[in-house]
Amino acid sequence: MKLHHIQSVAKYESILLRRSWNYRVFTILILLFIGILQAVTLLAGQNGWAIPAIPSNIPYVALYMFNLGQAAVAIFLSSDFLKRDKKLDTSEVFYVHELSNAEYVFGKIWGNVRVFLLLNLIVLAMVLFFNIMSPYAKVDLGAYVVYFFLISVPTLVFILGFSVLLMLILRNQALTFVILLGYVGLVLFYIGDKFYNVFDSLAYSLPLMRSDMVGFTNLPLILTHRGIYFLGGLSFICFTIPLFGRLPNTRRNFYIWVFWGSLFLLGAVYCAYRHVTTILHNNSERAVFLEINNKYVDEATMVVDAYELEVEQQPESVSAAVRLVGTALRSSRSYIFSLNPGLIVDAVEDGQGRSLQFTREKQIIKVDMGRNVTQGDSLTLAIRYHGRVDGNFCYLDIPDEERLKERKTNVMSIDKQYVFQTPQYILFTPETYWYPRPGISYSDRTFDWQQAYFSNYRLRVKTLPGLIALSQGQELQTADGEQTFTADYPAQAVTLVIGNYAKATAESDSVQFRLYTLPSHRLDIAELDSITDTIPGAIRLLKEQIERQTKLEYPFKRFSVIEVPAQFISYQRSWTAAQETMQPEMVLFCERGFSFNEMMIENTIRRQKNWAARRGGQQIDDKEAALRAINEILQIFLNEDSDFNITQTNRNQLELTTTPNPYYFFPQLYNFRYNIFSSAWPVANRVIEVYLRNKQDDQGWERNINGISNNEKANILLGDHSFRDLLANIEYQDLMDNIIAMESSELFAPAEINMGQTAVQDSLLALLNRNTFKNIRFEDILASMEQMASCRLIDILSTWEKPRELPFYIIKTPEVINVNDRGKETFVMKLTLTNASQVDGIVNIRYEIGNMMFGGPGMRFGSAAINVDPEQMRKLELKAGQTKQLITLWDEAPRAVTVNTMISKNLPASIQLPIRNIIEESRRVTEKEETLLLADGTGSSVEIIVDNEDSLFSLTEPRIVGLLPEWLNANTDTTFRYRGVQGGRRPVHWTPTTNSGYYGRFIRSAYVVKSGDGSQQAVWKVPIPSPGFYEVSYWPYMEGGGGFGFRNNRQNGEYHFQIIHGEETEDAYLNMQRPTNEWENLGLYYFDTDTVRVVLGNDTELRTVTADAVRLVRRQ
Amino acid sequence: MSITIRGLNKIYPNGNHALKDINLEIPTGMFGLLGPNGAGKSTLMRILTALLEPSSGSVDVFGYDLTADRKQVRAILGYLPQDFRFFAKYKTYEFLDYAARLSGMNNRKERKQAVDSMLESVGLFDVRERYANRLSGGMKRRLGIAQALIHKPKVIIVDEPTTGLDPEERIRFRNLLSEVAEQGVTIILSTHIVGDISSSCRTMALMNRGQVAFYGSPEEMLKRTEGKVWRLKLRTDELDIVNRRYPVISTIPSGIGWEVQVVADDVAGFDAEPFPPNLEHAYVYFMENELNLWTND
């Protein structure tokens, strides 16, 4: 093959491409697009922190964007060249030359490739220019090269090879173009990260983010993945040669290129095979780990009181020795421990240094003590081991689906790693089992593994030169660069970080705050220098605020924020609020805080200034702005949820989900300090924690979007499953907090009835504080509380074992009388509630008095409980069938009452009853605060009400309204019947939804439909007991108060009713311009038939129609 | 002989037997390939340029077998196809440079000289920077021949080169080819325009229905027509009869009647006188009398 020929063809092919208008337009557009994007991101700093934070992201994102565009254009242009060759005789003047087909095809493709490669280089040069000019980002030149080869080159070779081959086979440019674009579209919008990314030719979902700290963590995977497409592309190009429509110079060439094509194809297939099998192997290996855990589930274990760990870092491994002293939990001859299966155990000895027999099966070490050990006996063991920690062993309880789910920030796809072990960097969290821990890790046969115990730790670390080790406890630098860490308090586990870290400290309130970053990641920000001495004060204020709100104290002497590689990720677990990112006295914070825009400190400071100017028109100086920025950043640790995602499910439903904030500070105050354990209920610690946090979220915007609140979902689930089953069910992980909150709130409700909520919480806290850093039995806590509150709590635990029958309540609109006694006003409120079910229950009542606002979603932890007059929060027990009337007296006008029905069938579970009509009376106050037991509070003999939940209510069959609207409205998820009806898209079919404002006995629901021609109707069949005059009324509540609710065009809006009795049909109209949200009169009618049909059509000028309840009242 | 064709057959996949047992000896110099449309000229040309594979038979080009030594044959070939358009975005000199590169001219300086001198010799030097699609029809043909000549091939195959050219350009183009032919190059000129051949080819073949109908020199072909061309003076009413009876070459109005040239062995009953034949007459006579193809209907 003559290179000269290839270059000649390539040269003139490039000339053609460069001179084509398609190419020029594309080039200008893409350069503009990427240029603007870079300017916004790197110069203006307006596109978030994630890209500039990690310098390699800059070329990554630019090439990622460019790659999508170039793939589409390359398809078009490359398929074009063969069309041109086919059509014009002109090509034949070149065909008659001596060059071979291979030279010609290679030349053509190289001509195209090199033009695109050049464009890639231009794009990269432009990006580099912005990168250098950027005040926010550093430059990582290596990344420019790496991503060029990882993203652009394989994609180009593949796309060009594929399109040319397809063009030769199909011999139709349009068809080729459609197929290839369809393929790209399929990859982008449908396949994405499915099938382990194997079809992701554009590296769209492939985790390609490269950490500044450890580089790529999945390089073999990336290389095999890109190999699939690079080799695949080469193979297609080779196959193109024998298929090319020109007689070959010699026949032999045909076979040569078929051979090479096949070879490359085999290579590509091998890469694909490697790629998939590596992932599948990991999955099956995890299954083996689980199987082994299950096998050893019944083996005897011990509780370790003290660990002495010695670790020496070596370039490719670690060697360690651990001495553990503890107590046997059971009598046995052998005891088991778990140690990461990547670590090789060298020797096990007893306290006297005698060698002990042991067996090692993957993660398990089973040590034969050489004698029978009795329960409670003290045990001492020394274990020596070395090796590399295997990340695949972590999070065995997290399903593959969750573990392999794509992780994206901005457009960057990030690898998920749980452990790092390179010559430059080590991160071992307890999840890795980097030192032996008694018992097994995850097993699906028991919950024991979730149980943590406090132990004393002492750690000695020898790092490689130039690196420092970080861990919990008092640090001491010894000779030869060795460091020792002695924990101040017992801990449940210990973490080891080794790296080249720079340290910044601030001392406040006898706590040392430390920030460990890469030296190049130090916060060298001029504005911060001016407030260096004020930062400790800011931290102290915040700490005090948190401690006041939670009534919990930060127990440790230091708090370290340690920067860890971007790929590090943790998962939420049902039994603890602490993720692996949070460790006692330290938080493992993502590299440069890239996922938090606040961490772009210059911008945060500027924003603070702008806010101050916009809000109060006040000017704040740099110092004040910097201080506020620091406060804003510190808030990162106070948010319970880090991410609110509104996604569209089933094509018509918006779904709001929240992701727990992995950096939520709360575990420092609670989880690392208290340990409530129960062999029956490992969730015990969480139950107490959630109860103390007084976690209540209900109503509000989340509910408006999803149509159902998380608490209501939890209720429905608790009616169908036992609490125990739900705890083990990963499917409902996102509702776990709510489920636990419902249960914990019910668990302590009997105590609260007797003592009041505040007293119960205070007592619990006092109990915990007497037992800090100790393992406390859950059952003991309950027993103590029982004693204090004189009630039974422990029995409630038995209800956690099975699905339960849920109570439901009927709540009447409260009556309020303003009694004016010679100028002194007293507001008397009477609230009547009935438990209409066969089971006992408890409700929580909250009065909103005067103008004060409290509660509500989006507040920081613990704050729901503070500053609320205990009088305004009451729990009321309602036994099956009971009706109670609560009479309360207030000095100020009550605004609303919210009845939270806790675990019940009520929908909404939390009912807000605004106080609208206050009756004025001038007299003395005769009422007193009391709770009356009434005979029966429900029903009324004079009125007949038919609600949409009743069997007498029906809807017209939905009409076929066209395939597209049908598809858009398709709802396949039937787990939760009621849905949200958001303003954006109006439901095409009658859609059930719930709201406090709707009418209903215990389910306050209605059906909503898009307005139309009147063919969609709701029908209430009302039985008439005897002929006579009846007043017909309608409950006209429309959802629309909230930001996500309906914005009906109220102009001339009215509902059209037909009242049908016998042969007669009468029309009635209800003006909806200003609905009172109470019964509205439709007129007085004489009925002499058995039933009357009230029909509501969707023919209205309003955007939607709501079908709720009809009432008939007999008039004499 | 520079090219020897033996028993050449081409049957297309659709069953069209385009070439039937062609045997030809092509000497150096200009060789004319004449024939009506569909006679198989283009198929033969495409086989000779190694663009098409024959179904059977052999072609020897300067000692190389066209099928087995395709690369060597290609190295000594120049080709100007019939429907010669240009890539829109090549400049005139680039087109030649591209062809020169593909012919193995590696040295940039030499190549530039060759391109410039070739542009000079075809009279395109002044428009070398112009995009080739902006050239006039004649210039395009000259550029076409220039790219076929740039690597000094031994065989040049030119398919219908003068179609669509004005007479001046046509003459200029023929002269250009003749000059090249003088340098010991074999030029195969395929055409259906008789004038192209008569003025420049020493040897020719007449093809018809996939076969060689005549092979020899244009003079031999003329000789066969001597005494077979007649000039008739006709009245208008006679013109119709003559038109039906004889192959008419030309009809010119003259005074009250018509002056008509026909080819025929003998003409009886009209005012006829013998006329000296040209190659066009010979071609028509050949079609009419030797192959019985002529029809005036």
Side-chain angles (χ1 to χ4, degrees), chain A residues 501-781:
Chain A
Y501 277 112
K503 178 177 166 188
T505 55
E507 183 104 17
S508 168
D509 221 7
S510 72
V511 176
Q512 194 183 45
F513 291 88
R514 311 191 288 194
L515 175 65
Y516 288 100
T517 61
L518 275 196
S520 60
H521 289 179
R522 234 195 282 248
L523 300 176
D524 283 330
I525 293 156
E527 284 93 336
L528 290 188
D529 292 344
S530 62
I531 58 160
T532 317
D533 34 328
T534 7
I535 289 178
I539 294 176
R540 191 182 63 239
L541 279 176
L542 197 74
K543 180 172 161 280
E544 283 169 6
Q545 183 197 335
I546 298 164
E547 291 178 342
R548 201 170 50 244
Q549 283 177 359
T550 56
K551 300 182 184 173
L552 297 171
E553 265 173 49
Y554 182 71
F556 303 106
K557 292 177 179 162
R558 55 197 81 75
F559 182 69
S560 306
V561 176
I562 301 171
E563 184 187 26
V564 296
Q567 290 97 332
F568 184 70
I569 190 172
S570 59
Y571 296 99
Q572 180 200 9
R573 257 94 176 245
S574 62
W575 67 91
T576 175
Q579 296 191 22
E580 285 291 286
T581 37
M582 231 351 128
Q583 297 295 340
E585 69 181 55
M586 60 165 69
V587 55
L588 306 173
F589 197 55
C590 58
E591 196 169 335
R592 297 195 84 197
F594 77 96
S595 54
F596 296 96
N597 289 342
E598 299 91 318
M599 291 299 293
M600 201 170 196
I601 295 172
E602 295 93 331
N603 265 18
T604 308
I605 291 171
R606 200 180 322 138
R607 197 174 52 242
Q608 286 293 350
K609 280 188 190 165
N610 292 344
W611 276 355
R614 222 177 307 148
R615 277 185 198 154
Q618 63 181 123
Q619 292 292 325
I620 54 172
D621 61 8
D622 289 354
K623 206 168 160 177
E624 175 62 21
L627 207 60
R628 288 188 188 187
I630 288 292
N631 263 320
E632 195 185 333
I633 290 166
L634 291 174
Q635 293 297 325
I636 291 172
F637 302 103
L638 304 190
N639 292 330
E640 195 172 338
D641 297 306
S642 64
D643 224 352
F644 295 93
N645 290 316
I646 295 183
T647 49
Q648 200 147 14
T649 59
N650 300 326
R651 301 284 165 186
N652 74 330
Q653 282 287 289
L654 292 182
E655 181 81 30
L656 176 93
T657 51
T658 52
T659 314
N661 177 10
Y663 307 111
Y664 184 40
F665 188 74
F666 186 79
Q668 299 287 350
L669 307 173
Y670 183 87
N671 301 63
F672 302 144
R673 194 178 186 209
Y674 309 112
N675 187 27
I676 296 150
F677 75 96
S678 156
S679 53
W681 295 100
V683 73
N685 206 26
R686 192 83 206 275
V687 167
I688 305 284
E689 170 216 315
V690 168
Y691 175 71
L692 289 176
R693 262 160 61 197
N694 209 356
K695 195 174 151 57
Q696 288 185 345
D697 78 312
D698 231 5
Q699 289 292 20
W701 56 289
E702 183 185 71
R703 190 177 194 286
N704 279 338
I705 293 173
N706 293 346
I708 185 160
S709 76
N710 286 348
N711 278 357
E712 287 158 7
K713 282 184 179 176
N715 269 347
I716 291 170
L717 290 173
L718 284 167
D720 294 341
H721 310 273
S722 71
F723 183 38
R724 187 181 286 291
D725 288 346
L726 289 172
L727 286 171
N729 195 336
I730 196 81
E731 194 186 337
Y732 302 117
Q733 196 63 250
D734 58 324
L735 296 172
M736 204 45 74
D737 258 15
N738 302 83
I739 295 168
I740 296 172
M742 303 298 289
E743 290 292 9
S744 68
S745 155
E746 192 169 85
L747 175 64
F748 291 103
E752 284 187 17
I753 290 169
N754 291 357
M755 289 170 73
Q757 189 185 20
T758 319
V760 171
Q761 290 189 342
D762 288 349
S763 311
L764 250 182
L765 267 174
L767 259 176
L768 291 181
N769 283 332
R770 282 200 294 276
N771 292 286
T772 51
F773 302 107
K774 284 185 198 147
N775 306 315
I776 329 163
R777 263 169 49 88
F778 183 43
E779 289 76 7
D780 292 348
I781 292 227

Side-chain angles (χ1 to χ4, degrees), chain B residues 5 19 26 51 56 58 62 99 101 119 134 143 146 150 160 165 187 192 195 202 204 222 240 268 277 281:
Chain B
I5 301 169
L19 295 180
I26 300 173
L51 291 169
S56 65
S58 70
F62 284 97
R101 279 170 153 268
L119 283 170
R134 303 240 171 103
L143 178 59
I150 186 90
E160 306 279 2
L165 294 188
I187 297 181
H192 61 274
R202 280 192 218 122
M204 63 165 286
L222 274 180
D240 203 30
H281 296 132

Side-chain angles (χ1 to χ4, degrees), chain A residues 19, chain B residues 90-97 112 115-120 122-132 135 139 143:
Chain A
R19 289 180 186 164
Chain B
Y90 284 148
K91 290 176 180 171
T92 305
Y93 83 89
E94 287 174 340
F95 209 90
L96 282 190
D97 182 68
K112 189 176 181 317
V115 167
D116 285 352
S117 81
M118 184 54 72
L119 283 170
E120 289 275 12
V122 296
L124 293 175
F125 190 77
D126 293 342
V127 293
R128 64 186 184 283
E129 288 287 344
R130 193 185 289 178
Y131 281 115
L135 297 178
M139 286 172 161
L143 178 59

Side-chain angles (χ1 to χ4, degrees), chain A residues 1026-1037:
Chain A
S1026 56
F1029 281 98
Y1030 287 86
E1031 190 184 274
V1032 180
S1033 326
Y1034 186 72
W1035 189 269
Y1037 181 80

Side-chain angles (χ1 to χ4, degrees), chain A residues 12 19 90 92 248-249, chain B residues 46 70 74 85 89 97:
Chain A
Y12 282 97
R19 289 180 186 164
T90 322
E92 294 183 347
N249 278 350
Chain B
R46 291 175 66 76
R70 212 172 267 144
R74 280 172 169 162
R85 282 172 280 172
K89 292 293 175 188
D97 182 68

